[in-house]
């Protein structure tokens, strides 16, 4: 039984605990990343579906006016150039809606494969996104993992050094002699042992130096990971803050364009018939809706990324496995 073994046993126990902590950190990171991916898949499907449904309504609304413009040209009321311009922009709108339809099929397909359920016109989640700033007090899973890795490297150094330190303890041996079956001879012997390498031909120095070099490299890696963490968080914060600043402006522009499109539509039967203005406003309305939905996704996904970056997403959302 060893009484002193150069500290290697305690170091191995501590390293095993570090490995357990690292495994838990990696598991939490993987689960948090899974939630982040699931949220992105959900939002992409909702955006594509919202855009397509809205676009289809606009195409259905504008389609009857194509024949109306053609009739006005045939009657000599309108210039043929109006029909040409209207047709070009109308086809542009239909082509765009068709592209959105393709994206919708892709995004809904990914949604249904990932969540293993049908997509039923899901909507954007109603989530309050507070104003966020850089948080130096929190660290990412990568930084935490790098710190645990450093602790393991320190224990490896202690283990390497402990292999060449003095060792002592107690040895016992129980022996049964079976020279004759009828005899029941046995004895117990024991004593104290002591061992210490006197000369290792440089093996001890090389092994300890290699362990210390890895420890130093692991320590340097923490600073690199921290800098990468700061850059990633700064990018996320900028995206969220930018989305906050532009969200209302873009949405108000969308509502204003929508109202203008309705006004133009109500005047299409008057003498100030302007089919080109009508289809132009429809195209602009679709573009602003696309921008508005993209800003909403950036805001939500950016906030969730911020929570993930600071190890808080698992406290905010849950995923059913």
């Amino acid at each position: 039984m060893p009484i002193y073994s150069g500290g290697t046993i305690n170091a191995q126990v501590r390293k095993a605990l570090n490995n357990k902590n690292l495994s838990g950190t990696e598991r939490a990171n993987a689960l948090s990343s899974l939630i982040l991916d699931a949220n992105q898949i959900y939002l992409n499907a909702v955006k594509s579906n919202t855009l397509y449904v809205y676009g289809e309504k606009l195409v259905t609304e504008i389609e009857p006016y194509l024949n109306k413009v053609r009739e006005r040209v045939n009657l000599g009321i309108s210039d043929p150039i109006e029909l040409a311009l209207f047709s070009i922009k109308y086809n542009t709108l239909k082509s765009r809606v068709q592209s959105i339809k393709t994206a919708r099929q892709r995004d809904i397909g990914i949604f249904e494969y990932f969540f293993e359920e049908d997509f039923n016109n899901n909507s954007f989640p109603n989530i309050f996104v507070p104003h966020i700033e850089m948080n130096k007090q929190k660290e990412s899973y990568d930084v935490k993992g790098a710190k645990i890795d450093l602790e393991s490297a320190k224990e490896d150094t202690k283990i390497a050094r402990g292999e060449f330190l003095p060792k002592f303890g107690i040895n016992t041996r129980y022996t049964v002699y079976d020279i004759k079956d009828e005899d029941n001879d046995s004895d117990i012997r024991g004593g104290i042992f002591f061992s210490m390498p006197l000369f290792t031909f440089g093996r001890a120095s090389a092994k300890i130096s290699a362990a210390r070099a890895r420890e130093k490299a692991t320590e340097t890696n923490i600073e690199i990971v921290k800098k990468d963490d700061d850059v990633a968080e700064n990018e996320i914060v900028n995206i969220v803050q930018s989305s906050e600043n532009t969200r209302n402006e873009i949405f108000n522009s969308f509502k204003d364009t929508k109202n203008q499109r309705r006004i133009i539509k109500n005047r299409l039967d008057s003498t100030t018939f302007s089919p080109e203005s009508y289809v132009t406003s429809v195209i602009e309305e679709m573009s602003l809706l696309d921008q508005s939905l993209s800003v909403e996704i950036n805001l939500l996904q950016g906030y969730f990324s911020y929570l993930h970056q600071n190890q808080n997403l698992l406290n905010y959302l849950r995923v059913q496995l």
Side-chain angles (χ1 to χ4, degrees), residues 240-255:
V240 174
Q241 292 180 350
S242 176
S243 298
E244 284 178 334
N245 295 333
T246 59
R247 182 188 189 191
N248 291 335
E249 180 181 347
I250 293 177
F251 186 67
N252 289 334
S253 296
F254 165 71
K255 290 195 298 182

Side-chain angles (χ1 to χ4, degrees), residues 31 40 62 121 133 155 164 205 207 244 292 303 318:
L31 185 57
Q40 185 69 65
I62 202 174
N121 294 322
E133 299 285 351
E155 300 304 334
F164 305 99
S205 177
K207 192 167 186 178
E244 284 178 334
S292 182
Y303 178 54
R318 291 288 185 270

Side-chain angles (χ1 to χ4, degrees), residues 71-230:
E71 290 176 2
R72 291 173 69 91
V73 170
N74 292 335
L75 293 173
I77 300 175
S78 299
D79 193 303
I81 193 66
E82 288 188 358
L83 176 60
L85 293 174
F86 186 91
S87 298
I88 290 172
K89 294 187 175 182
Y90 172 74
N91 290 330
T92 299
L93 176 64
K94 287 196 68 175
S95 177
R96 183 170 184 179
V97 172
Q98 186 60 40
S99 297
I100 294 172
K101 180 180 180 180
T102 302
R104 174 181 178 269
Q105 291 173 339
R106 178 201 64 205
D107 292 338
I108 289 181
I110 295 174
F111 174 94
E112 293 180 342
Y113 176 81
F114 184 88
F115 291 102
E116 297 182 347
E117 63 180 49
D118 294 335
F119 182 87
N120 295 315
N121 294 322
N122 302 60
S123 59
F124 277 94
N126 186 18
I127 294 176
F128 171 72
V129 178
H131 181 74
I132 62 174
E133 299 285 351
M134 289 283 291
N135 190 347
K136 294 290 186 178
Q137 303 302 318
K138 294 285 188 175
E139 61 185 21
S140 67
Y141 290 107
D142 291 337
V143 174
K144 183 178 180 180
K147 288 183 176 180
I148 295 175
D149 198 28
L150 174 61
E151 294 302 316
S152 293
K154 289 180 178 179
E155 300 304 334
D156 284 336
T157 301
K158 293 176 182 178
I159 292 171
R161 186 179 59 186
E163 291 180 13
F164 305 99
L165 291 176
K167 298 177 178 62
F168 67 89
I170 299 174
N171 274 340
T172 59
R173 185 180 65 182
Y174 176 71
T175 305
V176 176
Y177 300 99
D178 56 353
I179 298 175
K180 294 182 179 179
D181 294 340
E182 62 274 11
D183 294 337
N184 189 22
D185 294 334
S186 64
D187 65 9
I188 298 177
R189 299 180 182 182
I192 298 174
F193 73 87
F194 176 85
S195 67
M196 182 180 72
L198 298 177
F199 189 68
T200 62
F201 299 93
R203 187 168 63 89
S205 177
K207 192 167 186 178
I208 294 172
S209 296
R212 285 176 176 170
R214 180 184 178 276
E215 180 182 337
K216 186 66 177 177
T218 307
E219 186 175 3
T220 302
N221 183 59
I222 291 178
E223 297 304 316
I224 297 174
V225 174
K226 281 183 177 180
K227 289 181 180 179
D228 292 341
D229 178 50
D230 288 342

Side-chain angles (χ1 to χ4, degrees), residues 38-48 124-125 297 300-301:
N39 187 67
Q40 185 69 65
I41 290 171
Y42 179 91
L43 293 176
N44 287 343
V46 171
K47 176 189 174 182
S48 296
F124 277 94
I297 287 179
L300 290 171
Q301 191 66 3

